[in-house]
Amino acid sequence: MSTAKTRLVILISGTGSNMEALIQAASSGAVSGEIVAVFSNRPDARGLDTARAAGIATEVVNHRDFADRESFDAELAARINSYAPDLVILAGFMRILTTAFVRQFHGRLMNIHPSLLPKYPGLHTHQRALEAGDCEAGATVHFVTEELDGGPAIVQAPVAVREGDTEQTLAERVLVLEHQIYPYAVELFCQGRLVINTQGVLLDDQLLPPGGISYPLQKPVRSEQ
Ligand code: GRF
């Protein structure tokens, strides 16, 4: 008996290196789901070429063609829904989504953010960490809720700040870990092990701590036998 693969739709706005990590993970089998489409709000997003080269359907919904956020989000949601996704993955998607959009995909909308949330939601996260003199920066994969970068964490990866780090050097080291934790979190979802409820995220029916799973993993997370 064959089970249908989890259908994944990815939203990007630019380079798409996280998307590329997910494409590679899906092709190696590290992610068991199928990437059925990649969407961009920018027609010139470099990641679109990467997705096309991998034979994945691409769609552009240009926010500039719409009068307001509501009409853009409504069209985006309709086009995404035509692919019947189980999970919608924001991977460097640089648009703030409306409440209507977020509610529609509740529990199946994920984002990656380059900070140890709840620290530094929004932009310029590495610069803010450096200015604050933090000894750690990092990245968080979380479910998206109506609060910007405020949804419950699934996985978090800390990265030590080094003497002389700049926004760019820090971003580069954090990105290496982003490419590991995003496929990891997506695969947990594909295995049906992640659920969001009013208290936070449940992994195998256990409530995760506020920062989610800490990566690298201290001990193997139980997998279905
Ligand atoms: C990543 O740092 C991600 O955390 C943030 O935007 C960046 C996107 O990079 N949301 P890429 O397009 O995946 O290379």
Side-chain angles (χ1 to χ4, degrees):
M1 193 185 76
S2 72
T3 338
K5 286 188 166 194
T6 305
R7 296 174 67 80
L8 310 171
V9 162
I10 303 178
L11 274 57
I12 62 168
S13 296
T15 314
S17 70
N18 276 291
M19 173 209 70
E20 198 172 350
L22 288 163
I23 292 175
Q24 279 168 10
S27 93
S28 73
V31 161
S32 57
E34 180 182 359
I35 301 167
V36 292
V38 168
F39 279 74
S40 173
N41 63 305
R42 296 184 54 120
D44 59 350
R46 226 171 68 200
L48 286 171
D49 294 331
T50 313
R52 285 185 199 115
I56 297 168
T58 59
E59 300 255 359
V60 174
V61 184
N62 189 340
H63 60 280
R64 292 177 193 274
D65 295 341
F66 296 83
D68 49 36
R69 262 182 216 288
E70 285 70 24
S71 51
F72 167 71
D73 278 15
E75 173 68 9
L76 182 65
R79 301 257 296 268
I80 290 172
N81 279 328
S82 74
Y83 289 90
D86 299 300
L87 179 66
V88 178
I89 301 168
L90 308 179
F93 184 69
M94 301 303 285
R95 300 292 302 168
I96 292 173
L97 295 162
T98 55
T99 299
F101 184 99
V102 170
R103 282 199 184 148
Q104 183 172 165
F105 295 102
H106 182 76
R108 51 196 187 101
L109 183 59
M110 257 185 212
N111 183 40
I112 190 159
H113 183 76
S115 80
L116 299 174
L117 291 171
K119 270 194 162 181
Y120 314 127
L123 298 173
H124 309 298
T125 54
H126 301 310
Q127 186 189 322
R128 286 154 71 198
L130 289 171
E131 280 169 7
D134 292 357
C135 48
E136 275 190 332
T140 307
V141 178
H142 64 97
F143 278 117
V144 176
T145 58
E146 288 152 48
E147 189 191 342
L148 179 69
D149 299 324
I154 301 163
V155 188
Q156 200 159 63
V159 169
V161 174
R162 292 182 192 155
E163 190 80 36
D165 255 337
T166 62
E167 203 183 334
Q168 197 190 335
T169 58
L170 194 50
E172 281 167 6
R173 291 208 310 287
V174 171
L175 206 52
V176 171
L177 283 176
E178 291 187 37
H179 298 163
Q180 297 171 23
I181 63 174
Y182 219 177
Y184 175 73
V186 167
E187 177 55 12
L188 290 178
F189 185 93
C190 292
Q191 290 176 4
R193 299 170 63 192
L194 285 182
V195 174
I196 185 174
N197 75 7
T198 49
Q199 290 176 290
V201 178
L202 304 179
L203 169 68
D204 300 334
D205 303 321
Q206 302 273 338
L207 188 65
L208 289 175
I213 302 161
S214 188
Y215 192 94
L217 309 171
Q218 302 305 307
K219 56 180 167 53
V221 174
R222 185 178 71 82
S223 64
E224 301 298 322
Q225 295 300 318

